[in-house]
Amino acid sequence: VFSLYVVFTLFAVLNVITAVFCQSTIEGAARDKELLAESPLLNKERYYLLVEELFHNLRSQDEDKVTLQNFERRFHDTDVRAFFHGLDLEPSDAWILFSLLDNDGSGDVDSQEFVEGLLKLKGPARAIDLAVLSRDLKTCVKQAQSSQQRLQRLEALLQAQFSQMSI
């Protein structure tokens, strides 16, 4: 009887220990989900602050814009290269990057163009980005084909006109 009591008590104690362990694991998993939800937002905010700081380092002292000359000159600085290396960009990519950031073609990049452009470049291409690119490319091909057909018709009309003039 006493052995039965000890075994029963031992199982009860083990059951309580298991319940406490499971409860702490469940609470920890809930906290992990909260942290995972906050983590991308915190990373994006940190990246945004880094990009803004980089913009202020690259810009002209007298203007609130980055010119191509300043950009190319500062692209070789160690801290700037380290940042762009994190984006898998090399100094030889400076001009291409600048032209991508200069949305309005003004020859300089303001804070909004710089920050938004670099935020878009962070991370791998998403499926929707590739789908948009594919759609835009198909549209360009259709427009080019249409233009080619119109030019061919125009060329035929001009040749007909010239042949009638030479007769």
Side-chain angles (χ1 to χ4, degrees):
V1 172
F2 181 72
S3 298
L4 189 60
Y5 172 74
V6 170
V7 169
F8 180 74
T9 306
L10 183 63
F11 279 124
V13 169
L14 287 176
N15 198 14
V16 169
I17 290 172
T18 303
V20 169
F21 176 75
C22 288
Q23 182 65 29
S24 66
T25 303
I26 291 169
E27 289 173 1
R31 280 192 304 268
D32 286 348
K33 286 180 184 176
E34 291 171 6
L35 289 175
L36 284 175
E38 290 177 10
S39 180
L41 295 175
L42 291 174
N43 286 341
K44 189 171 185 176
E45 188 175 316
R46 280 190 206 122
Y47 184 75
Y48 183 84
L49 292 173
L50 283 172
V51 169
E52 276 190 333
E53 181 181 335
L54 179 64
F55 174 79
H56 290 294
N57 288 339
L58 291 174
R59 69 184 174 89
S60 305
Q61 295 299 329
D62 53 340
E63 292 186 39
D64 199 30
K65 297 182 177 188
V66 175
T67 63
L68 179 59
Q69 291 173 330
N70 285 351
F71 191 73
E72 286 179 330
R73 185 173 57 244
R74 293 294 314 272
F75 206 89
H76 297 287
D77 292 354
T78 308
D79 56 336
V80 174
R81 286 184 76 175
F83 180 84
F84 285 114
H85 183 69
L87 294 173
D88 291 328
L89 296 171
E90 298 299 322
S92 59
D93 299 326
W95 188 86
I96 295 168
L97 176 62
F98 188 85
S99 65
L100 286 172
L101 296 176
D102 186 15
N103 290 332
D104 57 4
S106 62
D108 50 35
V109 177
D110 63 23
S111 176
Q112 183 178 357
E113 288 176 316
F114 189 81
V115 172
E116 287 177 2
L118 285 181
L119 286 175
K120 287 179 185 176
L121 287 175
K122 178 146 175 55
R126 300 174 303 162
I128 194 162
D129 296 331
L130 297 176
V132 168
L133 183 63
S134 176
R135 182 201 61 201
D136 292 347
L137 184 59
K138 286 177 185 176
T139 302
C140 288
V141 167
K142 285 179 184 177
Q143 289 174 347
Q145 288 172 343
S146 174
S147 295
Q148 182 182 13
Q149 290 170 352
R150 282 184 269 159
L151 285 173
Q152 287 172 344
R153 286 193 300 261
L154 183 60
E155 180 183 19
L157 287 172
L158 287 173
Q159 285 178 350
Q161 289 292 328
F162 283 130
S163 66
Q164 286 179 358
M165 290 174 59
S166 61
I167 297 179

